[in-house]
Amino acid sequence: MKIKSERDFFSGVLFCAFGVAFAWGATTYNVGSGARMGPGYFPLIVGILIAIMGAAITVKAMTVETADGEPVGKIAWKPLIFIIGANLMFGVLLGGLPSIGLPPMGLIVAIYALTFIAGLAGDKFSFKASAVLATILAVGSYLAFVVALKLQFPVWPTFIA
């Protein structure tokens, strides 16, 4: 068979891989049954559904003709680096990095850093728009996770709180 849409083919393969990995990881928990679901039941079902969806996308990519074959373009390195870096920075700032002596900076600082770093991934960066978005996300996250769900994690840097 010939691949008729590169983009769909590779995205389908990726969906299959993530779905299988997710379902496999879910089997380390007690799955239970449909009547008495364990903690691994829902992740297992979601992983299987993602893998099935990936298989359907892959089959479609090999059967449905497209105009130009929808080739996979070159990798957009700048957004990739900034988005992954923003998420890594969020984790480091939220929990700290004891190995280098960085204390936890808390939820608010981590959200501001995440928003500003991720904003650099786009073509147009607006400091004002990023500040507004970061403030809305910080307030919303504080209300959702700390006030409503009562989760226990640092909100402010440890040297302030």
Side-chain angles (χ1 to χ4, degrees):
M1 282 196 114
K2 183 178 178 248
I3 297 173
K4 298 178 180 177
S5 172
E6 279 186 25
R7 203 176 317 165
D8 285 349
F9 178 79
F10 288 116
S11 65
V13 169
L14 253 150
F15 271 109
C16 282
F18 280 113
V20 168
F22 202 73
W24 186 12
T27 60
T28 61
Y29 298 106
N30 180 18
V31 176
S33 66
R36 292 189 68 70
M37 296 178 204
Y41 189 85
F42 182 73
L44 176 67
I45 297 301
V46 169
I48 290 170
L49 290 174
I50 290 172
I52 290 170
M53 184 176 64
I57 292 170
T58 304
V59 168
K60 177 183 172 264
M62 293 170 41
T63 57
V64 176
E65 193 70 43
T66 56
D68 61 349
E70 294 182 338
V72 176
K74 62 180 191 169
I75 297 174
W77 289 106
K78 179 185 172 192
L80 185 67
I81 289 169
F82 277 113
I83 298 298
I84 292 173
N87 284 288
L88 289 173
M89 186 59 68
F90 177 81
V92 167
L93 289 175
L94 183 64
L97 205 54
S99 62
I100 63 167
L102 180 69
M105 292 292 161
L107 178 69
I108 305 301
V109 173
I111 287 177
Y112 272 87
L114 171 80
T115 306
F116 281 101
I117 295 170
L120 295 171
D123 294 331
K124 301 174 191 167
F125 176 74
S126 169
F127 184 84
K128 182 179 176 183
S130 292
V132 169
L133 178 61
T135 303
I136 292 169
L137 288 173
V139 169
S141 296
Y142 177 78
L143 292 174
F145 297 117
V146 177
V147 175
L149 295 175
K150 302 201 183 327
L151 295 178
Q152 300 294 317
F153 53 83
V155 176
W156 296 105
T158 53
F159 53 84
I160 292 176

